Amino acid sequence: MKNQNLFNLLLPLNTEQLNYLNKLDSSCSNIQRAWLSGYFWKSANQISDSCTADTDRSNINNSLITIISASQTGNAKSLSQRLHEYLNKHNKKNRLINAIDYKFKKIQNEKILILIISTQGEGEPPEEAISLYKFIISKKAPNLKNLCYSIFSLGDKSYNFFCQAGKDFDKRFKELGATSLIDRFDADIEYEDAYNKWSENLLKSINNQNQHAQSFFTSSNKKNQSADLTDSFSRKNPAKAVVLANQKITGRNSIKDVYHIEIDINNLNIKYKPGDAVGIWYKNDPQLVNKIIKFCSIDSLDKVNIKNKIITIFDALTNHFELTNNTKDIVKNYVNITKNKILQNIISDEIHLEDYIANTPFIKMIHDYPEKMSSTQLLSFLRPLTPRLYSISSSQAETPNEIHITVGVIKKVISGCVYLGGSSGYLSQSLKVDDIVKIFIETNNNFRLPENPDIPIIMISSGTGIAPFRAFMQQRDNDCAKGKNWIFFGNPNFTEDFLYQIEWQQYINKGLITNMNVAWSRDQENKLYVQDKIQEHSKEIWSWIQEGAVIYICGNASNMAKDVEKTLLNIISKNGNMNLENSEEFLNDLRLNKRYKRDVY
Ligand SMILES: Cc1cc2nc3c(=O)[nH]c(=O)nc-3n(C[C@H](O)[C@H](O)[C@H](O)COP(=O)(O)OP(=O)(O)OC[C@H]3O[C@@H](n4cnc5c(N)ncnc54)[C@H](O)[C@@H]3O)c2cc1C
Ligand SMILES: Cc1cc2nc3c(=O)[nH]c(=O)nc-3n(C[C@H](O)[C@H](O)[C@H](O)COP(=O)(O)O)c2cc1C
């Protein structure tokens, strides 16, 4: 046997089986071994998958409408569920499937495909739709001339690549010969009315298709796999929970402020799993609200109508509107009201405007160019407040009545003034022990521990990306899981930023954490990152992959996750003797086999 780890995994085999395996092993190349590891892993861990495949096939034949939910933070998921119920109510047989479970190689068998998709990262599809996306844009994508489709695309106008994922799918479906049932809708963060209108139009259009499709039947659809464990509380109906602890866990000299927060969920009947996130409905800082009211010369007791309730402008700005994100539209609307010449100049040049919003919080803009206006005028260009998600850093196996989160404070210093993020500022500065916080669980079935506790896992993170891995380790500790655990963690300084250091040390002493590698970016002259540590252990990582390890990445989407992915491709290419294209295919296969999972933000 090659090493002790492999031997341990093989222990459940009898002598005859072991001999067979030894024989096979000695005759295989590295690539063949890697392929076999995936093959065996899949048959051991994903028996349910083959059931899905069968169901999938029969469903395509019996059901004329497929709804694909491609979501990262739950919005597209909840709209897909609503569409599923809406079509059922109108006797339109349909099946709802998450993008990650969708057998895209049979997409040409579809009749009507509805895609509800958000955009993530910088114009990218959500994690669960990446394999589908890669397939659709590839040369392997089939002709879709028999397909009718419709796309509801979710995004946020404050991002440069607004609704890009939906746009990309739409363009490609057309190129492949598919016919659009109704035009794609690109929805901003206030998508409720747009969705209602779009779904009504969609139904009408499906009705018009009746002559092509023989009949639609009401289906007895099985419950969507990703149905929430917690059905009593939701984004719209959050639970009111009490704060048990709120503590800064980075050192005094750290360049980062990270807080560990514990929330009491006793008596709330809330269930969550490691990998899930908690949604927080935050409140804006009262000082910030007062400044805005002052710069706009508004009376703080002025009354406004919000969702058919009459409340003060102070209350409205505190609880219902985003005040910490500036956008192009906000600046343009502000100019419409103020007619300010300097701002007019800025909005006339798109690049200048982009640079301006990146460096000018809303409060700074109205401080620099104050203007008297009515409450209604002010609210007309502000965006509704949206909850923020935080990966849960605890497991209910360890603390059944608590939710822990690990919050990094977003802090910008501009011209000597400090500007805090809306939610992270609230959680770190305002929220005290015994305060009430409004929360809901956002399930994430794409970021789960393997069902088989013997499977090794590799967890890669930087900063607060460590949060879900604390939950993973608590769960595996309580389950007495035998699978090996390897953590890679990166942050600026060892003495200031080693989040949960004592807990990791205890897990290492216990033997739960098998390997832990840390990268302190600023502890030496040259910057050192988590991907450098991964590269250093190239051979061992490859060997874990061959043993069937699941790889998880959590944390910063724009830098860390991209650099780590490049490094993983490099490791695959080098150790598996593959070119870049084959390495990408290999990694994509790991993704499809639920062995490469990312939760990045
Ligand atoms: C699935 C998921 C899980 C998450 N888990 C965690 C977690 O465990 N811990 C955690 O701390 N956060 C986590 N986040 C991020 C979190 O939801 C918020 O986005 C973050 O706290 C910033 O929100 P805010 O209201 O404080 O800042 P905002 O008020 O939204 O932003 C204020 C200003 O800072 C900018 N900004 C926002 N975020 C960043 C950033 N990361 N870097 C630089 N500038 C930024 C904005 O563009 C804006 O100009 C997660 C996000 C997702 C989607
Ligand atoms: C980390 C992150 C990156 C995002 N990037 C984009 C983007 O590039 N373009 C865009 O239009 N929206 C972007 N959004 C906004 C989301 O698409 C929007 O919030 C959407 O409603 C989320 O839907 P979901 O919950 O189904 O994922 C981003 C959101 C997050 C959290």
Side-chain angles (χ1 to χ4, degrees):
M1 280 290 96
K2 287 218 142 32
N3 61 40
Q4 188 62 28
N5 298 331
L6 190 53
F7 184 70
N8 285 344
L9 274 176
L10 296 178
L11 273 182
L13 303 181
N14 63 32
T15 320
E16 195 184 354
Q17 288 171 316
L18 203 57
N19 286 340
Y20 274 135
L21 196 66
N22 271 330
K23 228 172 167 181
L24 182 64
D25 183 37
S26 59
S27 69
C28 279
S29 68
N30 270 352
I31 293 181
Q32 287 168 325
R33 285 192 192 100
W35 184 88
L36 283 170
S37 80
Y39 174 80
F40 284 128
W41 186 90
K42 189 166 165 98
S43 35
N45 202 45
Q46 292 195 298
I47 294 160
S48 58
D49 219 34
S50 57
C51 304
T52 323
D54 284 341
T55 324
D56 212 35
R57 195 176 310 123
S58 61
N59 271 344
I60 286 181
N61 292 336
N62 295 333
S63 165
L64 291 160
I65 307 170
T66 295
I67 304 167
I68 299 180
S69 159
S71 180
Q72 186 115 344
T73 58
N75 295 338
K77 188 169 87 178
S78 77
L79 290 187
S80 302
Q81 181 67 34
R82 273 169 59 186
L83 185 67
H84 171 61
E85 286 158 15
Y86 176 68
L87 292 180
N88 275 347
K89 202 174 114 200
H90 289 88
N91 284 338
K92 301 287 173 272
K93 183 175 179 179
N94 72 93
R95 64 178 186 134
L96 169 61
I97 191 151
N98 294 326
I100 190 76
D101 297 318
Y102 182 64
K103 307 289 170 214
F104 48 76
K105 288 187 180 157
K106 295 180 202 148
I107 192 168
Q108 70 272 32
N109 296 346
E110 299 285 0
K111 301 284 184 294
I112 296 178
L113 188 71
I114 318 288
L115 177 62
I116 303 189
I117 186 167
S118 70
T119 294
Q120 295 294 321
E122 286 154 33
E124 289 141 35
E127 195 61 28
E128 66 167 329
I130 287 181
S131 296
L132 167 64
Y133 175 77
K134 285 190 173 187
F135 175 73
I136 283 295
I137 59 165
S138 76
K139 286 186 198 130
K140 290 181 193 161
N143 185 308
L144 296 179
K145 65 178 181 351
N146 294 326
L147 178 75
C148 290
Y149 74 96
S150 183
I151 297 176
F152 191 80
S153 181
L154 285 154
D156 180 336
K157 275 195 174 152
S158 66
Y159 286 90
N160 280 340
F161 299 97
F162 177 55
C163 285
Q164 193 59 45
K167 289 175 185 168
D168 289 349
F169 270 99
D170 196 8
K171 182 167 173 267
R172 187 65 179 143
F173 281 163
K174 284 200 174 90
E175 282 168 4
L176 296 169
T179 309
S180 166
L181 274 176
I182 55 167
D183 285 348
R184 180 191 78 243
F185 195 92
D186 294 334
D188 200 0
I189 52 172
E190 267 182 297
Y191 50 75
E192 197 59 37
D193 291 347
Y195 165 77
N196 288 336
K197 222 173 183 176
W198 172 84
S199 56
E200 279 167 23
N201 287 339
L202 178 69
L203 181 65
K204 277 185 208 150
S205 172
I206 290 173
N207 280 332
N208 291 340
Q209 292 289 311
N210 257 334
Q211 62 266 37
H212 304 298
Q214 292 122 13
S215 60
F216 293 96
F217 307 103
T218 317
S219 62
S220 58
N221 275 290
K222 65 175 183 179
K223 206 167 163 24
N224 182 21
Q225 284 177 355
S226 63
D228 279 359
L229 287 164
T230 48
D231 34 26
S232 49
F233 296 111
S234 61
R235 181 180 288 247
K236 281 191 181 156
N237 176 34
K240 288 182 182 148
V242 175
V243 176
L244 292 173
N246 191 346
Q247 199 180 348
K248 184 166 180 262
I249 54 170
T250 39
R252 196 177 304 152
N253 299 316
S254 174
I255 55 164
K256 289 182 167 189
D257 284 349
V258 177
Y259 284 75
H260 171 77
I261 299 175
E262 298 183 359
I263 299 166
D264 187 2
I265 51 167
N266 203 6
N267 298 326
L268 290 175
N269 193 25
I270 287 179
K271 299 270 184 296
Y272 65 86
K273 285 185 180 174
D276 287 341
V278 65
I280 305 273
W281 282 101
Y282 69 95
K283 287 170 187 285
N284 282 307
D285 175 13
Q287 283 187 20
L288 174 67
V289 173
N290 276 328
K291 279 185 193 164
I292 292 175
I293 288 174
K294 186 176 142 205
F295 296 142
C296 298
S297 307
I298 292 171
D299 178 352
S300 64
L301 297 177
D302 214 5
K303 295 284 193 303
V304 288
N305 183 336
I306 305 290
K307 294 178 192 156
N308 296 326
K309 266 194 189 159
I310 305 295
I311 56 175
T312 62
I313 182 72
F314 182 88
D315 184 1
L317 293 176
T318 307
N319 296 299
H320 299 280
F321 291 89
E322 296 265 348
L323 305 179
T324 47
N325 279 294
N326 204 358
T327 69
K328 292 183 200 170
D329 280 352
I330 290 179
V331 182
K332 286 176 186 167
N333 286 318
Y334 192 65
V335 173
N336 273 342
I337 293 171
T338 62
K339 312 284 182 232
N340 180 285
K341 290 273 178 300
I342 300 170
L343 289 175
Q344 258 168 359
N345 222 352
I346 292 172
I347 62 168
S348 65
D349 172 356
E350 197 68 6
I351 295 175
H352 196 170
L353 179 56
E354 261 171 38
D355 186 54
Y356 181 75
I357 57 164
N359 296 298
T360 320
F362 174 65
I363 182 68
K364 179 164 166 41
M365 178 177 77
I366 62 168
H367 166 268
D368 293 348
Y369 310 110
E371 182 74 35
K372 184 175 166 45
M373 66 183 73
S374 70
S375 298
T376 319
Q377 275 177 315
L378 171 64
L379 298 188
S380 71
F381 60 82
L382 291 179
R383 291 145 46 95
L385 189 144
T386 51
R388 306 288 194 264
L389 296 184
Y390 295 89
S391 308
I392 297 177
S393 53
S394 54
S395 156
Q396 280 191 298
E398 180 97 1
T399 48
N401 298 322
E402 292 172 19
I403 290 175
H404 299 178
I405 52 174
T406 313
V407 179
V409 182
I410 301 293
K411 188 167 40 173
K412 288 185 180 177
V413 182
I414 301 168
S415 313
C417 291
V418 177
Y419 299 92
L420 297 181
S423 172
S424 57
Y426 161 77
L427 289 168
S428 60
Q429 311 301 312
S430 306
L431 202 65
K432 304 282 179 251
V433 170
D434 291 336
D435 280 354
I436 301 280
V437 57
K438 287 189 192 167
I439 61 162
F440 60 93
I441 299 296
E442 193 58 63
T443 54
N444 184 357
N445 288 320
N446 301 322
F447 206 73
R448 291 276 182 254
L449 278 166
E451 274 170 32
N452 180 346
D454 294 342
I455 291 189
I457 61 175
I458 301 174
M459 295 157 275
I460 303 166
S461 63
S462 65
T464 54
I466 195 72
F469 303 143
R470 182 174 180 262
F472 279 12
M473 288 303 89
Q474 290 186 355
Q475 185 71 43
R476 279 202 145 184
D477 188 31
N478 278 275
D479 292 348
C480 299
K482 295 210 176 65
K484 295 185 296 174
N485 301 298
W486 189 347
I487 293 185
F488 286 93
F489 174 61
N491 235 358
N493 300 104
F494 166 65
T495 50
E496 308 296 321
D497 306 307
F498 201 164
L499 308 181
Y500 305 115
Q501 177 184 6
I502 293 171
E503 295 180 25
W504 306 129
Q505 278 165 343
Q506 282 167 350
Y507 285 144
I508 291 168
N509 290 343
K510 255 182 159 180
L512 180 76
I513 294 182
T514 337
N515 305 39
M516 180 147 190
N517 293 95
V518 282
W520 307 114
S521 58
R522 296 179 187 220
D523 269 356
Q524 58 287 305
E525 207 174 315
N526 293 329
K527 289 272 172 69
L528 180 81
Y529 294 111
V530 81
Q531 60 270 22
D532 302 315
K533 286 283 158 191
I534 296 168
Q535 186 66 57
E536 269 176 33
H537 295 83
S538 164
K539 275 213 168 87
E540 208 178 345
I541 288 190
W542 178 246
S543 139
W544 278 51
I545 292 174
Q546 285 183 291
E547 289 171 37
V550 179
I551 303 170
Y552 299 87
I553 302 180
C554 185
N556 179 285
S558 40
N559 300 321
M560 187 273 296
K562 284 186 180 152
D563 292 338
V564 167
E565 182 154 314
K566 268 190 218 148
T567 309
L568 287 173
L569 285 170
N570 188 286
I571 290 173
I572 293 165
S573 159
K574 208 165 150 202
N575 294 278
N577 291 323
M578 294 177 222
N579 61 21
L580 182 64
E581 200 185 335
N582 290 343
S583 310
E584 278 176 348
E585 206 165 306
F586 184 91
L587 194 64
N588 203 33
D589 280 348
L590 287 183
R591 194 194 305 271
L592 283 172
N593 288 328
K594 301 187 180 171
R595 287 183 53 198
Y596 177 53
K597 303 177 184 221
R598 304 192 315 165
D599 188 12
V600 293
Y601 45 86

